[in-house]
Amino acid sequence: MITLATTEDVRARGAAVAVLPVGSFEQHGPHLPLATDTIIACAIARGLADAYPVQLLPPITISCSHEHADWPGTVSISARTLHSVIMDVAESLRGLPLVIVNAHGGNYVLSNVVQESRRMALYPTSADWAEARAAAGVETPSATDMHAGEIETSILLHAHPEVVRPGFETADHVADDRRHLLTTGMAAYTSSGVVGRPSRASADKGRDLLAALVSGFARHLATL
């Protein structure tokens, strides 16, 4: 997603905050594309831009995906680089608060970036996701639905069904004990790349997840 707004469009909108989607380029099993997290971050950010006075920024498409390095196609940058890019973007906004819409769980450094600043927010938080999961009737517990599972497959089935490959109906894989994930990477816990239950995904759940996340953003906007 590249925004087609002109500088005059931005001036006329009078945005209260800027919204920066952050995704990744990493394996998502055999049924979802490498760009899954970026697509999801963009879908959330577009929903926010349609509902609130925000300046929509183009996405960061490569981030910290080192735990997926055993799968071909995965590309990463360092946490230091991601930190620097976010700080540079924030500085260039000349005081406009920045909301980072992160869709990749491995971008741990983003919490520290926001922690260091009084002009940023990270969205959605785990609490925001929990509320959205409940609103959408997601069945898989959050600890189980870790990667390419019910939530991610549902959002893509709704927002971009053309990118979802056949086979997610039988791709379920559960690995709830992942205590050594940061040391071993994902390959120690899944051979397919999936950790979760994509078989429970539906376009309706994806629609309701996005709607709940858009609604829940109002509290973050008010805080900023």
Side-chain angles (χ1 to χ4, degrees), residues 20-85:
L20 176 65
V22 179
S24 69
F25 199 75
E26 65 186 33
Q27 71 83 19
H28 275 78
H31 66 281
L32 297 181
L34 293 159
T36 288
D37 290 339
T38 300
I39 295 170
I40 290 173
C42 287
I44 297 170
R46 170 54 65 185
L48 302 184
D50 288 344
Y52 302 96
V54 305
Q55 179 183 346
L56 184 59
L57 303 178
I60 295 175
T61 60
I62 297 175
S63 59
C64 305
S65 300
H66 306 86
E67 68 273 27
H68 300 278
D70 289 302
W71 281 267
T74 296
V75 179
S76 291
I77 59 176
S78 71
R80 296 183 302 277
T81 298
L82 183 57
H83 183 286
S84 295
V85 170

Side-chain angles (χ1 to χ4, degrees), residues 39-197:
I39 295 170
I40 290 173
C42 287
I44 297 170
R46 170 54 65 185
L48 302 184
D50 288 344
Y52 302 96
V54 305
Q55 179 183 346
L56 184 59
L57 303 178
I60 295 175
T61 60
I62 297 175
S63 59
C64 305
S65 300
H66 306 86
E67 68 273 27
H68 300 278
D70 289 302
W71 281 267
T74 296
V75 179
S76 291
I77 59 176
S78 71
R80 296 183 302 277
T81 298
L82 183 57
H83 183 286
S84 295
V85 170
I86 296 293
M87 294 303 293
D88 286 351
V89 170
E91 183 178 355
S92 76
L93 292 171
R94 300 182 180 182
L96 189 67
L98 177 63
V99 176
I100 304 167
V101 176
N102 177 50
H104 172 47
N107 288 333
Y108 307 109
V109 69
L110 294 180
S111 295
N112 296 119
V113 173
V114 173
Q115 180 188 33
E116 293 169 14
S117 172
R118 302 298 295 271
R119 303 285 291 177
M120 293 187 201
L122 188 61
Y123 191 76
T125 66
S126 58
D128 298 314
W129 276 116
E131 291 174 359
R133 290 165 53 85
V138 172
E139 302 171 54
T140 313
S142 58
T144 299
D145 194 36
M146 184 255 185
H147 195 68
E150 185 176 358
I151 282 183
E152 291 186 317
T153 306
S154 291
I155 291 176
L156 264 63
L157 283 172
H158 165 66
H160 292 281
E162 72 280 1
V163 307
V164 181
R165 305 274 181 102
F168 70 89
E169 303 89 346
T170 57
D172 292 5
H173 175 74
V174 174
D176 285 347
D177 185 351
R178 303 183 299 272
R179 71 187 72 189
H180 303 298
L181 175 65
L182 296 182
T183 301
T184 64
M186 283 281 289
Y189 300 100
T190 173
S191 59
S192 67
V194 176
V195 176
R197 295 191 175 98

